[in-house]
Amino acid sequence: MINTIFFSLLAIFSLFVFMNLGKIKASKKQTDRDNRINRFGSRRGPGNQRKTNSTIVEGEAEVINDKDEK
Amino acid sequence: MSKHSALNRFGRSANPAFTRGFENYSETLPVSERMTLDGAVNKTGILLALCFSGAAIGWNIPALMFPAMIVGLILALVTIFRSKEKAGSTAPLYALSQGIFLGGVTLVYENMFDGIAIQAIGLTFGILASLLVCYKSGLIKPTENFKLMVAAGVGGIFVLYMVSFVMSFFGSGISLLSPTNGSLMSIGLSLGIVCVASCCLVLDFDFIEEGAEQGLPKYMEWYGAFSLMVTLIWLYLEILRLLSKIRSR
C-alpha cells in the first residue's frame, strides 16, 4: 500500500515538474557552448565557430581572373 | 569574370527549400508558425493523456494488444521516414495504439508480480523529471560524442533485439532478455539498456530545445513530442522488464 502511494506520488510530482520545467528555457550553461549538437546546420560553421546571421559578405568585390588563379 | 557569376547576379537564396535541412527557417517563418517549448511540452501532455486512455482500453481488452502494437509500429515508421509534416495526425494515433499495447503488457506483468506497474510508471516519470532538471541546469551536456555514443548503444540493442526476434521463430531466444531471468548478468544488461534509453531522453530534450531556438515549423512540436513518447514507451517497457528480473531473484 505504502509502495503504491509512494510511486503514485512520484509519478504525479514528476509529471508536474516536466509540464512546468519543460516550458522554461535551458540555462546559459547549456545553450551557450561551442560543442552543442549541430542538427539543423545553421548555428555554427566548420570548427564549431559561430556563424553570423547575415549571408552577405561585407567588403569590396574583387574580380578574379583566370590569370590571377595561375 | 567571377567563378560564381550566378551568386554575384542573384545573391544567395533565402528559400528554406533550397537550403540543407531546416537552415534559415527562423528568418523566413512568422513567429506564430514557429516551434516553441510551450507547444512541444503541451503536445507531449496530450500524447501522454492519449497513451493513458489507450492503456485503460488495453488493460480491459488485452486481445487488442498485438494488433495495436503493429499499428503503432507502422505509424511510427510512417512518421519518422515518410511525413514529419503529418506528425500532428500520426503522433496522437501512435500514442493511442501504443497505450493499448502498453495496457495489455502491463496487465501481463501485473499478473506475474503484484504492484509492478505503478513502480514502473513512477520510475519512468521520475527519470524523465530528474533528467530534465539535469538537462535544463546544464549538468548533462549533450555533444556530438554523446550522440555518437548513444547511437552506438541503441544500434547494439537493436541488433540484440533482432537476433532474439529471429531466434524466437525457431523456438529459441536470448535468455538474458527473458523477464524471468534473475541472474546478475541479465539484470546488468537491463540496467544498461535503461541507461541508454535515459540518454535518448536527453537527446530528445536537446532536439526540442534547439528546434524552438531555431524557430522550426510548428509541426515539429508534434514531432518533438512524438520522439519523446517513443523514448518514454521504450524506457517504460525496459523498466518493467528490469523490475520483473529483480523480482524473479
Side-chain angles (χ1 to χ4, degrees):
Chain A
M1 187 62 186
I2 294 169
N3 189 35
T4 307
I5 293 169
F6 172 76
F7 282 104
S8 306
L9 286 176
L10 176 66
I12 292 164
F13 176 71
S14 302
L15 263 178
F16 178 77
V17 169
F18 171 73
M19 295 305 286
N20 287 286
L21 188 65
K23 293 174 183 178
I24 299 168
K25 208 176 174 309
S27 66
K28 291 272 180 207
K29 203 173 151 190
Q30 183 67 265
T31 53
D32 286 357
R33 57 192 169 88
D34 290 336
N35 57 351
R36 279 189 81 178
I37 301 168
N38 193 13
R39 289 189 179 84
F40 310 115
S42 60
R43 196 177 41 238
R44 293 174 194 86
N48 282 341
Q49 288 166 344
R50 281 176 186 276
K51 272 184 179 179
T52 54
N53 284 334
S54 170
T55 51
I56 300 166
V57 180
E58 287 181 11
E60 268 184 42
E62 192 182 333
V63 177
I64 301 167
N65 295 318
D66 289 345
K67 285 176 187 174
D68 293 341
E69 286 179 2
K70 289 171 190 172
Chain B
M1 188 63 196
S2 165
K3 274 178 167 179
H4 307 288
S5 56
L7 260 181
N8 287 343
R9 187 171 295 174
F10 302 113
R12 284 186 193 278
S13 170
N15 187 341
F18 298 127
T19 58
R20 189 169 65 86
F22 293 101
E23 211 169 325
N24 292 338
Y25 251 115
S26 59
E27 291 157 25
T28 53
L29 281 174
V31 177
S32 60
E33 286 174 30
R34 290 182 201 169
M35 179 182 181
T36 60
L37 280 178
D38 266 34
V41 171
N42 288 339
K43 283 169 177 79
T44 308
I46 294 170
L47 294 187
L48 279 172
L50 282 168
C51 192
F52 274 108
S53 312
I57 298 169
W59 181 277
N60 290 303
I61 316 168
L64 292 175
M65 190 168 82
F66 287 110
M69 184 190 77
I70 292 163
V71 169
L73 184 68
I74 292 167
L75 283 168
L77 292 175
V78 166
T79 311
I80 295 166
F81 296 112
R82 294 290 294 177
S83 56
K84 287 185 176 64
E85 294 88 349
K86 293 195 176 92
S89 47
T90 54
L93 290 173
Y94 167 81
L96 193 68
S97 57
Q98 287 297 286
I100 295 171
F101 168 64
L102 289 184
V105 170
T106 306
L107 183 67
V108 172
Y109 276 96
E110 189 70 25
N111 287 336
M112 284 161 68
F113 308 101
D114 190 38
I116 198 171
I118 191 66
Q119 287 179 349
I121 292 168
L123 286 174
T124 305
F125 287 125
I127 290 173
L128 173 77
S130 53
L131 280 178
L132 184 66
V133 171
C134 291
Y135 173 77
K136 292 279 180 183
S137 62
L139 210 63
I140 297 176
K141 291 172 185 151
T143 59
E144 282 291 343
N145 285 341
F146 180 87
K147 191 173 87 172
L148 278 174
M149 199 179 69
V150 175
V154 171
I157 293 163
F158 178 74
V159 169
L160 193 69
Y161 282 162
M162 281 298 113
V163 169
S164 175
F165 179 67
V166 171
M167 282 171 81
S168 70
F169 289 118
F170 304 101
S172 180
I174 299 172
S175 66
L176 281 178
L177 290 176
S178 167
T180 50
N181 183 347
S183 69
L184 279 178
M185 185 84 171
S186 178
I187 290 173
L189 178 72
S190 266
L191 209 58
I193 296 175
V194 166
C195 287
V196 173
S198 305
C199 289
C200 287
L201 276 182
V202 176
L203 288 178
D204 291 333
F205 296 149
D206 195 53
F207 172 79
I208 291 171
E209 188 82 30
E210 195 177 358
E213 246 175 60
Q214 299 287 313
L216 298 190
K218 203 79 178 161
Y219 64 80
M220 289 305 281
E221 288 178 354
W222 278 112
Y223 190 73
F226 162 77
S227 58
L228 205 54
M229 278 303 295
V230 171
T231 312
L232 273 177
I233 288 167
W234 180 34
L235 183 63
Y236 172 71
L237 285 171
E238 287 307 330
I239 288 175
L240 261 183
R241 199 198 299 252
L242 174 65
L243 289 175
S244 74
K245 283 177 180 178
I246 293 169
R247 292 264 199 109
S248 297
R249 271 183 80 80

